[in-house]
Structure formats: C-alpha cells, structure tokens
Amino acid sequence: MSAKSAINKEIFAPHDERMLGAVQVKRRTKKKIPFLATGGQGDYMTFICLSEDLGRRKDCRKKEGEKKAAAAAVTNKKPSQVSITKVKKFEDSSAFVRRSQWTIDQLRQVNGIDPNRDCAEFDLVFDNAFDQWVTSSAGEKCTFVQVLHHTCQRYIADRKPEFINCQSKLLGGNSILHSAADSVTSAVQKASQALNERGERLGRAEEKTGDMMNSAQQFAETAHKLAMKHKC
C-alpha cells in the first residue's frame, strides 16, 4: 500500500473524510529551535493533505433539503468542508500522525515561486501560519497545486486565496481532466477519420464493382445477340 493510500485509510477514512490530494514535502528553511528545546523524535516524513469532510457535506445537503426557502442563503454561506492537514510519520513508528490543520477558508496565498519554469518549491500562507515547502519533483507539486486551485474555486464563494508566481497550467483547475478529454477527443477524431477514409475506399470499391457488373451484363447481352445471330 502506498503512503498516500495508508494516510487516507488511517487518518481520514475513520472520521468520514475523503482525501482529495496529498504531496510529500520537506521544509526549504529550517524552523528556529529554542535554545532549551529537548531532543526531537528523529527523522520523519511530512505530507500536506487536502481532504473533504463527507459528514458535513451530507449535513449541509440535508439542511438545504429541509430549508428550500433559504436555499440561496445556505449556498452563499456554505460551511467549510475541506481541510488542509499536515501529516507526519516518524522513523521509529509505522503509524501516520495528524499534526496542524487548517480549513480551506484560512488559506490566504499559494506561491508557486517561479512562473517561468517547472520547479518543486511552493509556499502556503494561512491566517496564522506560513510554510515554505519543496516536493520530490515539479510534477508532484504541479498535481497538488492543480487540485488545490480547483478545490478552492469549488468550495470558496468569497475571498478566494491568491495564487501567485504560478504557471498558467497550474491554474487550469480541471487541466488534468481537460488533457484526458483532449486525448479522448483526439482518439475519436482519428477513429472517425479512419472510418470516413474506409467508407470512401469502400464506396470506390462498390462503384468499381458496379461498373464491373454493368460491363459483365453488357458483355453477356452482346454475346447472347451474337449467338442468336449465328444461330439464325
């Protein structure tokens, strides 16, 4: 089982939550440790996870059904159902541990660091926290930021977080789905073109067959006439 699957199973599923995305990260800058701080818990892995509270979503839908007259107000003031959670796994433990957590409404800024190139770094700014992260690859960051941007557009009605220094492809929201759709569309177009070409070839073959049948019929009629003439 992958780490992300294990996190979803251990951390989110038991609380009726569903993980929407996760990325393994490391800090770009180390936090200052107090002089009198005691020893830590050793090396660890850190994941930033995006999750949806399925229980609150069901409650929200139930209330919307019970209060149809106030449906517009409920929709405009939809409670937060998505959280950004810091999850850690220490080297001396097999379990994942939930650490800091914020609602998506507390997210103020996502900094992609460089809009002109693929890079693995990004920053998250919350109401009361600021973290500088680096992922294992630019692709990992790209996928996570895309999911995060799409989720913000879907769940936050007002005061959406600012996405700065991000490549345009990161802000496509459904760009991954769009790419898949484009691929399917391209395949359909190619298949359609192939069928059309095949149809044209079959049409030409059918036309040639028709010409051959007419020629054969004319030949048979001519032969019959000659045979009758010689018979007479």
Side-chain angles (χ1 to χ4, degrees):
M1 181 184 297
S2 68
K4 294 177 184 179
S5 298
I7 290 173
N8 187 49
K9 181 179 179 180
E10 295 179 25
I11 300 295
F12 298 110
H15 299 281
D16 202 16
E17 295 176 87
R18 176 171 64 98
M19 193 168 74
L20 303 175
V23 62
Q24 184 175 353
V25 295
K26 290 184 179 180
R27 292 189 182 279
R28 296 207 311 277
T29 56
K30 292 184 178 180
K31 279 192 172 181
K32 293 182 179 180
I33 301 175
F35 180 73
L36 297 178
T38 57
Q41 294 178 270
D43 292 334
Y44 55 84
M45 295 188 295
T46 302
F47 296 84
I48 301 298
C49 306
L50 193 64
S51 64
E52 178 185 18
D53 188 332
L54 299 177
R56 292 190 68 176
R57 184 176 69 174
K58 293 174 184 176
D59 290 341
C60 183
R61 288 178 177 175
K62 183 178 180 180
K63 290 179 181 179
E64 288 177 352
E66 295 173 348
K67 301 179 181 179
K68 292 183 180 179
V74 172
T75 302
N76 292 334
K77 296 182 179 180
K78 182 167 52 178
S80 297
Q81 304 170 52
V82 177
S83 300
I84 298 174
T85 307
K86 189 185 300 180
V87 175
K88 292 188 176 183
K89 180 178 181 299
F90 294 92
E91 63 178 354
D92 58 350
S93 173
S94 60
F96 292 92
V97 181
R98 188 194 295 254
R99 291 300 194 185
S100 305
Q101 186 174 56
W102 303 267
T103 66
I104 199 171
D105 292 322
Q106 293 176 298
L107 179 63
R108 291 290 163 256
Q109 186 184 89
V110 178
N111 189 341
I113 307 302
D114 193 337
N116 300 314
R117 68 179 181 88
D118 291 331
C119 66
E121 297 87 5
F122 70 97
D123 297 343
L124 296 179
V125 180
F126 298 93
D127 284 334
N128 57 352
F130 169 64
D131 284 317
Q132 297 176 311
W133 301 111
V134 58
T135 64
S136 60
S137 68
E140 285 282 313
K141 166 200 165 181
C142 178
T143 300
F144 181 74
V145 173
Q146 282 182 327
V147 173
L148 180 57
H149 181 265
H150 174 63
T151 304
C152 289
Q153 299 306 307
R154 178 183 178 187
Y155 284 93
I156 302 178
D158 302 313
R159 200 184 175 191
K160 289 181 173 60
E162 183 183 21
F163 283 74
I164 65 172
N165 298 323
C166 293
Q167 293 174 293
S168 58
K169 67 180 180 180
L170 301 184
L171 306 183
N174 283 334
S175 58
I176 297 175
L177 298 178
H178 287 161
S179 297
D182 290 342
S183 298
V184 172
T185 301
S186 178
V188 171
Q189 289 175 342
K190 290 180 180 179
S192 178
Q193 183 179 356
L195 287 173
N196 289 336
E197 292 176 352
R198 182 183 180 188
E200 291 177 359
R201 289 196 299 270
L202 289 174
R204 289 195 295 268
E206 186 176 340
E207 184 179 348
K208 289 182 178 179
T209 301
D211 292 341
M212 292 176 65
M213 290 178 65
N214 290 334
S215 298
Q217 185 176 357
Q218 291 176 1
F219 178 79
E221 290 176 354
T222 302
H224 178 70
K225 290 179 181 179
L226 288 174
M228 294 298 295
K229 182 178 180 180
H230 287 295
K231 184 177 182 181
C232 294

